[in-house]
Amino acid sequence: MNWKLASSLAPLAAMFVMAGCSVADYEGGWPASLDKDAEAYADAPGGGEGLVSPGEGGEGSGNGNSTAGIVTAGEWRDLDHWTFWSGLMTTQGEDGFSEMPSYWGFYVNQLVAVKYVQEDRPVIGAKVELSRNGQVVWTTKTDNKGFAYTWVSPFQELDAVSPDELTITIEGAEMAGHPELTTWASQSDVKVNEYRKMTADAQPMISNKTDIAFIVDATGSMGDEINFLKDDLVDILGQATAKADGNSVLRTAAVFYRDEGDQYVTRYDDFKTNVTSTVEFIKKQSADGGGDYPEAVHTALETGLQKLSWGEDSRMRVAFLLLDAPAHHNQTVIASLQKSIETYARLGIRIIPIAASGADKNTEFMLRFFDILTGGTYTFLTDDSGVGESHIAASVGDYEVEQLNELIVRLIAAALS
Protein backbone atom coordinates (compact mmCIF):
# COMPACT_ATOMS: atom_id res chain seq x y z
CA MET A 1 0.00 0.00 0.00
CA ASN A 2 1.03 3.63 -0.42
CA TRP A 3 0.10 6.99 1.06
CA LYS A 4 -3.23 7.07 -0.79
CA LEU A 5 -4.70 4.91 1.95
CA ALA A 6 -4.46 7.97 4.17
CA SER A 7 -7.09 9.82 2.18
CA SER A 8 -9.29 6.75 1.97
CA LEU A 9 -9.19 6.35 5.74
CA ALA A 10 -9.99 9.96 6.59
CA PRO A 11 -13.76 9.48 6.70
CA LEU A 12 -13.36 6.81 9.37
CA ALA A 13 -13.15 9.66 11.85
CA ALA A 14 -16.60 10.77 10.84
CA MET A 15 -17.97 7.48 12.07
CA PHE A 16 -16.41 7.80 15.48
CA VAL A 17 -18.61 10.68 16.55
CA MET A 18 -21.71 8.56 16.67
CA ALA A 19 -21.14 6.22 19.61
CA GLY A 20 -19.38 5.80 22.86
CA CYS A 21 -19.60 4.84 27.71
CA SER A 22 -17.25 5.73 32.01
CA VAL A 23 -13.91 5.16 33.32
CA ALA A 24 -11.45 5.24 36.13
CA ASP A 25 -7.74 5.44 35.31
CA TYR A 26 -6.29 2.15 34.14
CA GLU A 27 -4.79 0.17 36.99
CA GLY A 28 -1.53 -1.62 36.39
CA GLY A 29 1.58 -1.05 34.36
CA TRP A 30 2.06 -1.40 30.63
CA PRO A 31 5.14 -1.95 28.51
CA ALA A 32 7.28 1.11 27.88
CA SER A 33 7.01 0.34 24.17
CA LEU A 34 3.61 2.04 24.16
CA ASP A 35 5.35 5.39 24.37
CA LYS A 36 7.68 4.92 21.45
CA ASP A 37 6.87 6.66 18.20
CA ALA A 38 3.85 8.37 19.79
CA GLU A 39 4.49 11.47 17.69
CA ALA A 40 6.01 9.73 14.67
CA TYR A 41 2.91 10.32 12.60
CA ALA A 42 3.86 13.98 12.23
CA ASP A 43 6.22 13.07 9.41
CA ALA A 44 3.92 10.64 7.66
CA PRO A 45 2.85 11.49 4.11
CA GLY A 46 -0.32 13.53 3.99
CA GLY A 47 -3.54 12.42 2.39
CA GLY A 48 -4.97 13.69 -0.84
CA GLU A 49 -8.74 14.13 -0.88
CA GLY A 50 -10.45 15.54 2.16
CA LEU A 51 -13.65 14.54 3.85
CA VAL A 52 -16.60 14.55 1.46
CA SER A 53 -19.52 16.54 2.78
CA PRO A 54 -22.97 14.98 2.76
CA GLY A 55 -24.59 15.69 -0.56
CA GLU A 56 -21.35 15.92 -2.51
CA GLY A 57 -19.94 13.34 -4.89
CA GLY A 58 -21.47 11.31 -7.66
CA GLU A 59 -24.23 8.80 -7.82
CA GLY A 60 -24.59 6.36 -4.96
CA SER A 61 -26.59 5.65 -1.84
CA GLY A 62 -27.38 7.89 1.06
CA ASN A 63 -25.39 11.09 0.61
CA GLY A 64 -24.51 10.72 -3.03
CA ASN A 65 -21.09 9.11 -2.59
CA SER A 66 -20.15 7.20 -5.72
CA THR A 67 -19.28 3.85 -4.10
CA ALA A 68 -21.26 4.05 -0.85
CA GLY A 69 -23.30 0.95 -0.21
CA ILE A 70 -21.10 -1.47 -2.15
CA VAL A 71 -19.26 -3.18 0.72
CA THR A 72 -21.41 -5.90 2.30
CA ALA A 73 -21.31 -7.28 5.82
CA GLY A 74 -23.11 -9.41 8.37
CA GLU A 75 -23.63 -9.26 12.12
CA TRP A 76 -24.03 -12.00 14.72
CA ARG A 77 -24.37 -11.55 18.48
CA ASP A 78 -23.49 -14.74 20.33
CA LEU A 79 -25.07 -13.45 23.54
CA ASP A 80 -28.40 -13.50 21.70
CA HIS A 81 -27.78 -17.03 20.33
CA TRP A 82 -26.32 -18.81 23.34
CA THR A 83 -27.43 -22.32 22.37
CA PHE A 84 -25.71 -21.94 19.00
CA TRP A 85 -22.57 -20.57 20.71
CA SER A 86 -22.57 -23.45 23.19
CA GLY A 87 -22.69 -25.91 20.31
CA LEU A 88 -19.64 -24.35 18.67
CA MET A 89 -17.70 -24.48 21.93
CA THR A 90 -18.56 -28.09 22.84
CA THR A 91 -18.59 -29.85 19.44
CA GLN A 92 -15.38 -31.33 18.11
CA GLY A 93 -14.49 -31.67 14.45
CA GLU A 94 -15.43 -29.59 11.45
CA ASP A 95 -18.81 -28.58 12.90
CA GLY A 96 -17.35 -27.28 16.15
CA PHE A 97 -14.52 -25.24 17.56
CA SER A 98 -13.99 -26.74 21.00
CA GLU A 99 -10.25 -26.16 20.68
CA MET A 100 -10.56 -22.38 20.50
CA PRO A 101 -10.98 -21.68 24.25
CA SER A 102 -7.76 -23.46 25.15
CA TYR A 103 -5.96 -22.01 22.12
CA TRP A 104 -6.69 -18.40 23.09
CA GLY A 105 -7.11 -18.87 26.85
CA PHE A 106 -10.68 -17.51 26.81
CA TYR A 107 -13.28 -19.78 28.43
CA VAL A 108 -16.45 -17.82 27.70
CA ASN A 109 -18.73 -20.20 29.55
CA GLN A 110 -20.06 -19.44 33.06
CA LEU A 111 -22.12 -16.28 32.54
CA VAL A 112 -24.25 -14.27 34.95
CA ALA A 113 -26.31 -11.78 32.94
CA VAL A 114 -27.84 -8.81 34.77
CA LYS A 115 -30.51 -6.26 33.92
CA TYR A 116 -30.81 -3.27 36.26
CA VAL A 117 -33.88 -1.05 36.03
CA GLN A 118 -35.70 1.65 37.96
CA GLU A 119 -39.41 2.05 37.29
CA ASP A 120 -38.94 -0.07 34.15
CA ARG A 121 -36.24 2.26 32.83
CA PRO A 122 -32.66 1.04 32.43
CA VAL A 123 -30.08 2.32 34.89
CA ILE A 124 -27.05 3.23 32.78
CA GLY A 125 -23.44 3.07 33.95
CA ALA A 126 -24.08 1.20 37.20
CA LYS A 127 -21.10 -0.73 38.57
CA VAL A 128 -21.84 -4.46 38.70
CA GLU A 129 -19.65 -6.99 40.50
CA LEU A 130 -19.88 -10.78 40.46
CA SER A 131 -18.38 -12.54 43.48
CA ARG A 132 -17.67 -16.20 44.01
CA ASN A 133 -17.41 -17.33 47.63
CA GLY A 134 -17.00 -13.72 48.68
CA GLN A 135 -14.22 -12.85 46.21
CA VAL A 136 -14.92 -10.47 43.31
CA VAL A 137 -14.23 -12.28 40.03
CA TRP A 138 -15.63 -9.85 37.41
CA THR A 139 -16.57 -6.17 37.29
CA THR A 140 -18.38 -4.27 34.57
CA LYS A 141 -20.99 -1.52 34.01
CA THR A 142 -24.56 -1.57 32.76
CA ASP A 143 -25.04 -0.45 29.17
CA ASN A 144 -27.63 1.89 27.71
CA LYS A 145 -30.26 -0.86 28.02
CA GLY A 146 -29.37 -1.61 31.64
CA PHE A 147 -27.63 -4.91 30.81
CA ALA A 148 -24.33 -6.15 32.21
CA TYR A 149 -22.52 -9.42 31.53
CA THR A 150 -20.33 -10.94 34.23
CA TRP A 151 -18.17 -14.05 34.11
CA VAL A 152 -17.07 -16.52 36.78
CA SER A 153 -13.75 -17.62 35.26
CA PRO A 154 -13.27 -16.51 31.64
CA PHE A 155 -9.52 -17.16 31.57
CA GLN A 156 -9.37 -20.54 33.26
CA GLU A 157 -11.37 -23.69 32.63
CA LEU A 158 -13.45 -24.67 35.66
CA ASP A 159 -15.51 -27.67 36.63
CA ALA A 160 -19.16 -27.09 37.49
CA VAL A 161 -19.92 -23.92 39.43
CA SER A 162 -22.88 -23.76 41.82
CA PRO A 163 -25.08 -20.64 41.84
CA ASP A 164 -24.97 -20.90 45.65
CA GLU A 165 -21.35 -19.72 45.43
CA LEU A 166 -22.30 -16.53 43.57
CA THR A 167 -23.53 -13.08 44.57
CA ILE A 168 -24.17 -9.88 42.61
CA THR A 169 -23.36 -6.43 43.96
CA ILE A 170 -24.64 -3.31 42.18
CA GLU A 171 -23.37 0.15 43.10
CA GLY A 172 -22.01 -1.30 46.36
CA ALA A 173 -25.28 -2.96 47.43
CA GLU A 174 -25.41 -6.77 47.53
CA MET A 175 -28.47 -8.15 45.76
CA ALA A 176 -30.65 -10.67 47.59
CA GLY A 177 -30.38 -14.35 46.72
CA HIS A 178 -28.09 -16.12 44.29
CA PRO A 179 -28.18 -15.35 40.57
CA GLU A 180 -29.02 -17.82 37.84
CA LEU A 181 -26.00 -19.05 35.91
CA THR A 182 -25.85 -19.68 32.15
CA THR A 183 -23.30 -22.20 30.89
CA TRP A 184 -22.52 -24.10 27.69
CA ALA A 185 -24.35 -27.03 29.26
CA SER A 186 -27.50 -24.97 29.87
CA GLN A 187 -28.94 -25.69 26.43
CA SER A 188 -31.02 -22.53 26.72
CA ASP A 189 -30.95 -18.85 25.96
CA VAL A 190 -29.07 -16.55 28.32
CA LYS A 191 -30.80 -16.36 31.69
CA VAL A 192 -31.18 -12.71 32.68
CA ASN A 193 -31.21 -11.79 36.37
CA GLU A 194 -33.34 -8.64 36.72
CA TYR A 195 -32.82 -6.33 39.68
CA ARG A 196 -34.77 -3.20 40.49
CA LYS A 197 -33.45 -0.01 41.97
CA MET A 198 -35.83 0.89 44.78
CA THR A 199 -34.54 4.35 45.72
CA ALA A 200 -33.92 7.48 43.69
CA ASP A 201 -30.63 8.37 45.35
CA ALA A 202 -27.08 7.38 44.43
CA GLN A 203 -27.70 7.39 40.70
CA PRO A 204 -24.53 6.82 38.66
CA MET A 205 -23.04 10.11 37.46
CA ILE A 206 -23.73 9.99 33.71
CA SER A 207 -23.10 12.88 31.33
CA ASN A 208 -24.28 13.41 27.76
CA LYS A 209 -20.83 12.55 26.41
CA THR A 210 -20.37 9.73 23.92
CA ASP A 211 -16.88 8.30 23.35
CA ILE A 212 -15.87 6.37 20.24
CA ALA A 213 -12.43 5.08 19.40
CA PHE A 214 -11.44 3.31 16.24
CA ILE A 215 -8.56 0.82 16.50
CA VAL A 216 -7.29 -0.15 13.05
CA ASP A 217 -4.70 -2.50 11.64
CA ALA A 218 -2.50 -0.35 9.36
CA THR A 219 -0.37 -3.12 7.87
CA GLY A 220 -0.16 -3.55 4.12
CA SER A 221 -2.71 -6.35 3.90
CA MET A 222 -5.51 -3.98 4.90
CA GLY A 223 -5.46 -2.07 1.63
CA ASP A 224 -7.75 -4.15 -0.54
CA GLU A 225 -11.07 -2.82 0.84
CA ILE A 226 -10.31 0.53 2.44
CA ASN A 227 -10.93 2.59 -0.71
CA PHE A 228 -14.48 1.26 -0.85
CA LEU A 229 -14.99 1.71 2.89
CA LYS A 230 -14.18 5.41 2.40
CA ASP A 231 -17.47 6.31 0.74
CA ASP A 232 -19.42 3.98 3.01
CA LEU A 233 -18.16 5.76 6.10
CA VAL A 234 -18.88 9.19 4.64
CA ASP A 235 -22.40 7.96 3.99
CA ILE A 236 -22.57 6.69 7.59
CA LEU A 237 -21.63 10.19 8.77
CA GLY A 238 -24.55 11.75 6.95
CA GLN A 239 -27.08 9.18 8.11
CA ALA A 240 -25.88 9.00 11.71
CA THR A 241 -25.66 12.76 12.07
CA ALA A 242 -29.32 12.98 11.12
CA LYS A 243 -30.15 10.53 13.93
CA ALA A 244 -27.95 12.12 16.60
CA ASP A 245 -29.31 14.00 19.59
CA GLY A 246 -28.22 17.62 19.27
CA ASN A 247 -27.50 17.75 23.00
CA SER A 248 -24.86 15.01 22.81
CA VAL A 249 -21.18 15.79 23.27
CA LEU A 250 -19.33 13.56 20.84
CA ARG A 251 -15.66 12.73 21.39
CA THR A 252 -13.47 10.81 18.97
CA ALA A 253 -10.09 9.07 19.11
CA ALA A 254 -8.05 6.72 16.96
CA VAL A 255 -5.30 4.14 17.30
CA PHE A 256 -3.35 2.75 14.35
CA TYR A 257 -1.10 -0.25 14.79
CA ARG A 258 1.31 -2.45 12.89
CA ASP A 259 3.78 -4.92 14.38
CA GLU A 260 7.12 -5.17 16.13
CA GLY A 261 9.94 -4.31 13.75
CA ASP A 262 7.82 -2.00 11.60
CA GLN A 263 8.27 1.77 11.40
CA TYR A 264 6.04 2.03 14.45
CA VAL A 265 3.92 -0.30 16.56
CA THR A 266 1.12 2.10 17.58
CA ARG A 267 0.18 5.69 16.83
CA TYR A 268 -2.74 7.36 18.55
CA ASP A 269 -4.76 10.54 18.76
CA ASP A 270 -6.59 11.05 22.08
CA PHE A 271 -10.24 11.92 22.53
CA LYS A 272 -11.27 15.37 21.35
CA THR A 273 -14.58 17.07 20.70
CA ASN A 274 -13.09 18.55 17.51
CA VAL A 275 -13.64 15.88 14.89
CA THR A 276 -11.33 17.70 12.49
CA SER A 277 -8.39 16.80 14.69
CA THR A 278 -9.17 13.11 14.37
CA VAL A 279 -9.62 13.48 10.62
CA GLU A 280 -6.25 15.22 10.25
CA PHE A 281 -4.55 12.52 12.30
CA ILE A 282 -6.03 9.78 10.14
CA LYS A 283 -5.14 11.57 6.90
CA LYS A 284 -1.46 11.35 7.88
CA GLN A 285 -1.54 7.57 8.16
CA SER A 286 -0.53 4.99 5.58
CA ALA A 287 -0.65 1.21 5.33
CA ASP A 288 2.64 -0.67 5.27
CA GLY A 289 4.67 -3.22 7.16
CA GLY A 290 3.48 -6.45 8.61
CA GLY A 291 5.01 -9.25 6.61
CA ASP A 292 4.10 -12.22 8.78
CA TYR A 293 0.44 -12.97 9.41
CA PRO A 294 -0.08 -12.07 13.11
CA GLU A 295 0.08 -8.42 14.14
CA ALA A 296 0.45 -6.44 17.39
CA VAL A 297 -3.23 -6.65 18.38
CA HIS A 298 -2.33 -6.87 22.07
CA THR A 299 -0.28 -3.66 21.95
CA ALA A 300 -3.11 -1.87 20.14
CA LEU A 301 -5.58 -2.86 22.84
CA GLU A 302 -3.13 -1.77 25.55
CA THR A 303 -2.71 1.59 23.83
CA GLY A 304 -6.48 2.03 23.64
CA LEU A 305 -6.61 1.73 27.43
CA GLN A 306 -3.51 3.52 28.58
CA LYS A 307 -3.26 6.35 26.07
CA LEU A 308 -6.91 7.23 25.40
CA SER A 309 -8.73 9.22 28.09
CA TRP A 310 -12.13 7.52 28.10
CA GLY A 311 -14.64 9.72 29.90
CA GLU A 312 -15.38 8.55 33.42
CA ASP A 313 -18.95 9.83 33.24
CA SER A 314 -19.63 9.18 29.54
CA ARG A 315 -23.03 7.74 28.69
CA MET A 316 -21.64 5.24 26.20
CA ARG A 317 -18.18 3.98 25.16
CA VAL A 318 -17.49 1.90 22.06
CA ALA A 319 -14.26 0.66 20.50
CA PHE A 320 -14.50 -0.44 16.87
CA LEU A 321 -11.69 -2.89 16.09
CA LEU A 322 -10.97 -3.29 12.36
CA LEU A 323 -8.44 -5.95 11.41
CA ASP A 324 -7.70 -8.91 9.18
CA ALA A 325 -5.11 -10.85 11.23
CA PRO A 326 -4.87 -12.34 14.74
CA ALA A 327 -2.60 -11.47 17.62
CA HIS A 328 0.68 -13.32 18.00
CA HIS A 329 0.18 -16.61 19.79
CA ASN A 330 2.38 -16.90 22.87
CA GLN A 331 1.76 -16.79 26.60
CA THR A 332 2.96 -13.20 27.04
CA VAL A 333 0.58 -11.93 24.37
CA ILE A 334 -2.33 -14.03 25.61
CA ALA A 335 -1.85 -12.70 29.15
CA SER A 336 -1.89 -9.16 27.76
CA LEU A 337 -5.08 -9.84 25.79
CA GLN A 338 -6.78 -11.25 28.87
CA LYS A 339 -5.80 -8.27 31.01
CA SER A 340 -6.93 -5.79 28.37
CA ILE A 341 -10.31 -7.41 27.75
CA GLU A 342 -10.97 -7.61 31.49
CA THR A 343 -10.21 -3.90 31.71
CA TYR A 344 -12.37 -2.92 28.72
CA ALA A 345 -15.24 -4.77 30.40
CA ARG A 346 -14.57 -3.17 33.79
CA LEU A 347 -14.66 0.28 32.25
CA GLY A 348 -17.86 -0.46 30.34
CA ILE A 349 -16.22 -0.20 26.90
CA ARG A 350 -18.00 -2.36 24.35
CA ILE A 351 -15.78 -3.85 21.63
CA ILE A 352 -17.33 -4.21 18.19
CA PRO A 353 -14.92 -6.02 15.85
CA ILE A 354 -15.08 -5.66 12.06
CA ALA A 355 -13.35 -8.64 10.45
CA ALA A 356 -11.92 -7.82 7.03
CA SER A 357 -10.75 -10.13 4.23
CA GLY A 358 -7.87 -12.37 5.24
CA ALA A 359 -9.24 -13.15 8.70
CA ASP A 360 -9.03 -16.87 9.45
CA LYS A 361 -10.90 -18.95 12.05
CA ASN A 362 -8.37 -18.20 14.79
CA THR A 363 -8.93 -14.49 14.13
CA GLU A 364 -12.71 -14.87 14.04
CA PHE A 365 -12.94 -16.60 17.40
CA MET A 366 -10.41 -14.29 19.03
CA LEU A 367 -12.67 -11.39 18.01
CA ARG A 368 -15.82 -13.16 19.16
CA PHE A 369 -14.27 -13.77 22.58
CA PHE A 370 -13.52 -10.03 22.76
CA ASP A 371 -17.03 -8.86 21.92
CA ILE A 372 -18.83 -11.46 24.06
CA LEU A 373 -16.83 -10.60 27.17
CA THR A 374 -17.46 -6.86 26.73
CA GLY A 375 -21.12 -7.11 25.70
CA GLY A 376 -20.50 -6.21 22.06
CA THR A 377 -21.36 -7.90 18.79
CA TYR A 378 -19.41 -9.50 15.93
CA THR A 379 -19.46 -7.91 12.47
CA PHE A 380 -17.72 -9.24 9.38
CA LEU A 381 -17.36 -8.28 5.73
CA THR A 382 -18.75 -10.73 3.16
CA ASP A 383 -18.00 -11.71 -0.45
CA ASP A 384 -21.38 -10.53 -1.72
CA SER A 385 -20.00 -7.17 -2.84
CA GLY A 386 -17.08 -8.62 -4.78
CA VAL A 387 -14.82 -6.07 -3.07
CA GLY A 388 -11.43 -7.09 -1.72
CA GLU A 389 -9.91 -10.52 -1.27
CA SER A 390 -12.00 -13.52 -0.28
CA HIS A 391 -13.74 -13.39 3.12
CA ILE A 392 -13.94 -16.60 5.13
CA ALA A 393 -17.50 -17.72 5.85
CA ALA A 394 -18.35 -16.87 9.46
CA SER A 395 -19.36 -19.80 11.67
CA VAL A 396 -22.74 -18.35 12.56
CA GLY A 397 -26.40 -19.08 11.99
CA ASP A 398 -28.68 -17.37 9.51
CA TYR A 399 -27.91 -13.68 9.18
CA GLU A 400 -28.91 -10.88 6.86
CA VAL A 401 -26.41 -9.61 4.32
CA GLU A 402 -26.47 -5.85 4.61
CA GLN A 403 -24.66 -2.91 3.17
CA LEU A 404 -21.92 -2.13 5.66
CA ASN A 405 -22.98 1.49 5.96
CA GLU A 406 -26.58 0.54 6.79
CA LEU A 407 -25.43 -2.10 9.29
CA ILE A 408 -23.17 0.31 11.17
CA VAL A 409 -25.84 3.01 11.23
CA ARG A 410 -28.26 0.45 12.69
CA LEU A 411 -25.78 -0.55 15.41
CA ILE A 412 -25.07 3.10 16.23
CA ALA A 413 -28.78 3.88 16.48
CA ALA A 414 -29.24 0.92 18.85
CA ALA A 415 -26.32 2.08 21.00
CA LEU A 416 -27.72 5.60 21.28
CA SER A 417 -31.37 4.68 21.88
Side-chain angles (χ1 to χ4, degrees):
M1 278 301 294
N2 57 30
W3 64 265
K4 291 183 180 178
L5 180 60
S7 62
S8 68
L9 283 173
L12 287 171
M15 174 180 171
F16 305 165
V17 302
M18 300 315 305
C21 308
S22 110
V23 188
D25 292 336
Y26 178 72
E27 298 172 0
W30 292 105
S33 62
L34 293 184
D35 292 318
K36 79 178 180 181
D37 292 328
E39 303 300 329
Y41 70 85
D43 297 325
E49 301 174 30
L51 185 66
V52 179
S53 300
E56 296 180 359
E59 296 180 359
S61 71
N63 295 300
N65 300 304
S66 58
T67 62
I70 291 180
V71 176
T72 54
E75 181 225 353
W76 181 264
R77 192 167 190 259
D78 290 297
L79 289 167
D80 293 337
H81 301 89
W82 185 262
T83 301
F84 187 95
W85 171 252
S86 300
L88 293 178
M89 293 294 96
T90 56
T91 302
Q92 298 181 353
E94 63 181 31
D95 295 327
F97 296 89
S98 59
E99 75 283 1
M100 288 298 173
S102 59
Y103 182 83
W104 283 117
F106 285 85
Y107 298 89
V108 186
N109 184 0
Q110 288 104 348
L111 164 65
V112 175
V114 168
K115 184 177 183 181
Y116 193 42
V117 299
Q118 181 177 27
E119 297 179 348
D120 296 324
R121 295 176 300 176
V123 180
I124 302 171
K127 181 180 179 180
V128 178
E129 294 176 316
L130 172 66
S131 296
R132 184 187 184 200
N133 295 324
Q135 180 178 358
V136 176
V137 293
W138 195 259
T139 303
T140 188
K141 297 189 178 219
T142 55
D143 63 17
N144 63 318
K145 305 296 185 183
F147 285 94
Y149 301 93
T150 66
W151 306 88
V152 178
S153 180
F155 310 132
Q156 182 179 3
E157 188 172 18
L158 291 180
D159 294 330
V161 175
S162 170
D164 293 341
E165 304 173 48
L166 307 177
T167 56
I168 287 289
T169 301
I170 303 179
E171 291 296 307
E174 184 174 315
M175 302 293 104
H178 299 288
E180 285 194 277
L181 180 67
T182 304
T183 69
W184 293 336
S186 299
Q187 293 299 310
S188 67
D189 293 333
V190 170
K191 303 170 185 176
V192 178
N193 298 272
E194 183 167 314
Y195 300 102
R196 294 185 174 273
K197 187 177 182 64
M198 304 306 295
T199 61
D201 59 338
Q203 289 280 3
M205 296 298 294
I206 299 300
S207 71
N208 61 349
K209 290 187 299 187
T210 291
D211 292 349
I212 277 206
F214 206 84
I215 304 173
V216 59
D217 179 345
T219 56
S221 62
M222 284 294 294
D224 59 340
E225 288 160 322
I226 291 295
N227 286 325
F228 290 88
L229 292 171
K230 170 185 173 179
D231 278 350
D232 265 329
L233 295 173
V234 172
D235 191 67
I236 288 168
L237 172 64
Q239 294 191 54
T241 299
K243 298 177 183 294
D245 183 347
N247 295 321
S248 296
V249 177
L250 303 170
R251 305 195 315 147
T252 64
V255 174
F256 282 72
Y257 72 94
R258 292 182 182 172
D259 202 5
E260 296 290 341
D262 290 337
Q263 180 188 9
Y264 65 87
V265 180
T266 62
R267 292 172 172 170
Y268 65 92
D269 189 57
D270 199 5
F271 284 106
K272 297 179 178 66
T273 56
N274 182 1
V275 180
T276 302
S277 173
T278 309
V279 171
E280 290 304 313
F281 169 77
I282 293 175
K283 286 172 64 177
K284 293 177 181 176
Q285 308 311 311
S286 59
D288 201 355
D292 60 347
Y293 186 46
E295 311 296 359
V297 179
H298 70 295
T299 310
L301 291 173
E302 291 172 356
T303 301
L305 290 169
Q306 187 184 14
K307 298 299 183 180
L308 302 186
S309 54
W310 297 89
E312 187 167 353
D313 61 345
S314 296
R315 184 178 187 274
M316 282 294 292
R317 306 171 199 81
V318 175
F320 288 92
L321 177 60
L322 173 60
L323 53 74
D324 65 351
H328 292 274
H329 190 261
N330 59 63
Q331 289 306 308
T332 299
V333 168
I334 289 172
S336 171
L337 294 174
Q338 292 172 341
K339 183 176 182 180
S340 290
I341 295 305
E342 183 177 20
T343 306
Y344 277 92
R346 175 170 60 81
L347 301 179
I349 303 167
R350 271 56 185 173
I351 294 179
I352 298 180
I354 304 174
S357 61
D360 65 1
K361 284 300 168 183
N362 286 335
T363 309
E364 174 183 335
F365 280 89
M366 177 192 74
L367 294 176
R368 288 169 77 170
F369 291 145
F370 292 174
D371 76 66
I372 293 171
L373 286 170
T374 62
T377 188
Y378 180 59
T379 63
F380 47 94
L381 304 188
T382 72
D383 282 343
D384 300 85
S385 66
V387 171
E389 301 297 332
S390 178
H391 305 81
I392 192 169
S395 298
V396 299
D398 293 335
Y399 66 91
E400 180 181 353
V401 176
E402 304 176 63
Q403 295 175 346
L404 178 66
N405 57 344
E406 298 293 341
L407 188 159
I408 298 301
V409 167
R410 175 173 61 78
L411 292 178
I412 290 171
L416 294 177
S417 63

